Amino acid sequence: MAAYARVAQRARGLDLSLSVKAPPLRFDPVSLRELAQIARQSGLSLVFDAHGPQDADETLAAVERLLPDFPETGIVLPARWQRSQADAAWLRDSSAPVRVVRGEWPDPAGDAVDPDAAYLALVEALAGRAAPVAIATHRPALADRALALLRDAGTPCSLEQLRGLPGRRCRAVARGQGVPVRLYVPFGPGWIPYALDRALARPYLLAWMWRDWTGRADP
């Protein structure tokens, strides 16, 4: 809680969002409301990161409690979960900003056979809403199609890129569509899963970086 407050103070007046992980705060309504107030005082929006499927209901409940007084409260929806379509329908007419991600945790009911199709189906379910939708992907073709869906429907949108991962081609896609790019910067003990040195242990990353710098298409 104290770490979030310090970050919010340092970011005062900047066009930023503060992404929070509610499970370590035990979804405590008092703490989350205090955090939303701190974010507002610094001119930031509060966004609830996605966690495992077991935390999804409590995360949505936390957002629902805050929205009446903090309409800029946002949430992350993982495209790989089947439940996200229903969650998108619930959020569609709300003021909550939504970030669409592929998702780290598998769906207990079974992951989609085609992850890209599931991602685009979720984006399509959100297209047409008045509140903004952020597209979080490092795949240029997927970013291009997802952003086009939102723009064609008149939905304000942005591209989000994770700091430290290749993003040159995706940023070019966003520029081509006139869409702003935002950078996701992890901080605190929770940054470890996002660390680039851990990512370098993945054998495909070097090839991914090479494609990003040479402009070659995804395989």
Side-chain angles (χ1 to χ4, degrees):
M1 184 71 180
Y4 286 128
R6 286 195 297 271
V7 169
Q9 283 186 328
R10 292 177 182 177
R12 185 182 295 271
L14 300 177
D15 181 19
L16 299 175
S17 299
L18 181 64
S19 289
V20 300
K21 300 186 180 299
L25 297 174
R26 300 179 182 178
F27 293 98
D28 176 53
V30 175
S31 296
L32 294 177
R33 188 174 185 83
E34 180 183 349
L35 195 53
Q37 185 63 47
I38 289 171
R40 173 179 283 177
Q41 289 170 351
S42 294
L44 312 176
S45 59
L46 191 68
V47 178
F48 284 78
D49 273 335
H51 287 272
Q54 72 280 1
D55 296 314
D57 285 336
E58 285 192 271
T59 301
L60 280 167
V63 172
E64 185 176 15
R65 285 193 300 269
L66 289 173
L67 277 176
D69 296 322
F70 302 93
E72 67 281 0
T73 303
I75 191 169
V76 176
L77 292 183
R80 70 189 298 182
W81 296 352
Q82 295 179 35
R83 64 164 293 158
S84 289
Q85 282 286 335
D87 295 338
W90 179 81
L91 289 160
R92 181 177 174 84
D93 295 326
S94 76
S95 61
V98 174
R99 180 193 306 148
V100 179
V101 300
R102 179 179 178 183
E104 287 291 321
W105 288 269
D107 188 337
D111 283 339
V113 176
D114 186 338
D116 285 2
Y119 193 103
L120 292 171
L122 182 57
V123 172
E124 190 168 10
L126 294 164
R129 71 193 305 257
V133 176
I135 296 302
T137 181
H138 285 262
R139 300 193 61 189
L142 185 60
D144 191 35
R145 293 168 67 188
L147 292 170
L149 279 171
L150 295 170
R151 290 181 65 250
D152 289 347
T155 296
C157 56
S158 62
L159 175 72
E160 282 205 11
Q161 299 284 273
L162 179 61
R163 181 178 180 238
L165 291 184
R168 182 170 172 264
R169 291 178 299 159
C170 278
R171 290 193 295 272
V173 165
R175 285 196 300 272
Q177 295 204 32
V179 172
V181 178
R182 302 181 73 88
L183 192 64
Y184 185 101
V185 183
F187 70 94
W191 73 274
I192 294 175
Y194 302 102
L196 181 58
D197 59 352
R198 178 169 176 173
L200 286 171
R202 303 172 186 172
Y204 62 80
L205 185 61
L206 290 177
W208 176 13
M209 294 177 72
W210 173 254
R211 290 195 304 272
D212 195 60
W213 281 104
T214 60
R216 296 180 63 184
D218 291 325

